[in-house]
Amino acid sequence: DTEVTQTPKHLVMGMTNKKSLKCEQHMGHRAMYWYKQKAKKPPELMFVYSYEKLSINESVPSRFSPECPNSSLLNLHLHALQPEDSALYLCASSQGGTSEMSQETQYFGPGTRLLVL
Amino acid sequence: GENVEQHPSTLSVQEGDSAVIKCTYSDSASNYFPWYKQELGKGPQLIIDIRSNVGEKKDQRIAVTLNKTAKHFSLHITETQPEDSAVYFCAATPYDKIIFGKGTRLHILP
């Protein structure tokens, strides 16, 4: 099973709402990632978790709050977002445990398309 | 800083013909070069990758070549089919980062 699942598929929220995006994988991977992708652009890395610990935060605004409850789950909590945060949010996972995780194959989920009004 | 240039941004080829997408990277620390295909409404999916200890890798109709000296790598798709229509991203991985190219939108014409 090489599947990464994400819920919800679509999300519309107002600037005062609080919502969460969820990601799950059952490949036994120990590294999980959040990316943001705007239309016609490549994915931009937001956060990396390694063995359930936050290892990389690419200077993402605090209105995005990641959480890794266990090795299979990754959440992204959203609060007080801006319209420019509207994008496709992608989760990915890789095996983990190597000294340079970037050298590992990453498996992406289908993404959550977020619209902030 | 690290940079990956990808060309062309759009490519239209007749069904059955070959398609070639080229990428160059700036940081010689990169040792792993994945290629991702992204169809409309889906997340990127790895289609092939190459590590710096080999110069070429092939998987059925897809091949990737790597020239570390020149810092460029290319994706070759032969006998293109309608289902090859998608956006393709190359990537380089210097140190603990993954740097994507800007993508190539491939159209397969009937």
Side-chain angles (χ1 to χ4, degrees), chain A residues 3-102:
Chain A
E3 191 178 24
V4 175
T5 58
Q6 289 186 245
T7 55
K9 284 189 168 50
H10 303 274
L11 180 61
V12 180
M13 61 186 290
M15 289 188 283
T16 57
N17 292 157
K18 283 185 184 180
K19 296 285 184 184
S20 296
L21 309 185
K22 296 185 183 301
C23 173
E24 191 167 3
Q25 57 86 16
H26 294 288
M27 294 179 275
H29 288 172
R30 302 309 297 269
M32 296 186 78
Y33 310 76
W34 279 115
Y35 287 87
K36 175 183 178 180
Q37 187 177 28
K38 299 285 269 186
K40 299 186 180 180
K41 299 285 187 186
E44 296 172 39
L45 185 65
M46 299 173 73
F47 302 104
V48 181
Y49 272 83
S50 176
Y51 286 79
E52 295 98 72
K53 287 188 170 43
L54 185 64
S55 64
I56 294 177
N57 176 341
E58 291 285 1
S59 304
V60 179
S62 59
R63 56 187 185 267
F64 294 91
S65 174
E67 179 198 16
C68 191
N70 61 54
S71 59
S72 301
L73 292 173
L74 186 66
N75 297 323
L76 186 63
H77 303 297
L78 315 173
H79 175 53
L81 294 194
Q82 303 296 308
E84 59 263 30
D85 296 321
S86 299
L88 181 69
Y89 288 84
L90 294 161
C91 173
S93 70
S94 68
Q95 188 172 357
T98 62
S99 58
E100 288 188 357
M101 286 188 296
S102 62

Side-chain angles (χ1 to χ4, degrees), chain B residues 48-67:
Chain B
I48 196 165
D49 55 15
I50 191 166
R51 297 188 186 269
S52 59
N53 55 350
V54 298
E56 185 173 355
K57 184 176 176 181
K58 191 173 181 181
D59 183 4
Q60 298 183 337
R61 297 186 296 110
I62 296 173
V64 57
T65 59
L66 170 65
N67 182 328

Side-chain angles (χ1 to χ4, degrees), chain B residues 48-99:
Chain B
I48 196 165
D49 55 15
I50 191 166
R51 297 188 186 269
S52 59
N53 55 350
V54 298
E56 185 173 355
K57 184 176 176 181
K58 191 173 181 181
D59 183 4
Q60 298 183 337
R61 297 186 296 110
I62 296 173
V64 57
T65 59
L66 170 65
N67 182 328
K68 274 220 89 176
T69 305
K71 294 186 194 156
H72 66 71
F73 56 114
S74 301
L75 177 72
H76 304 253
I77 306 175
T78 58
E79 299 171 19
T80 51
Q81 299 170 5
E83 54 265 35
D84 295 329
S85 293
V87 178
Y88 291 80
F89 293 101
C90 64
T93 56
Y95 307 106
D96 215 12
K97 295 185 178 186
I98 180 166
I99 312 292

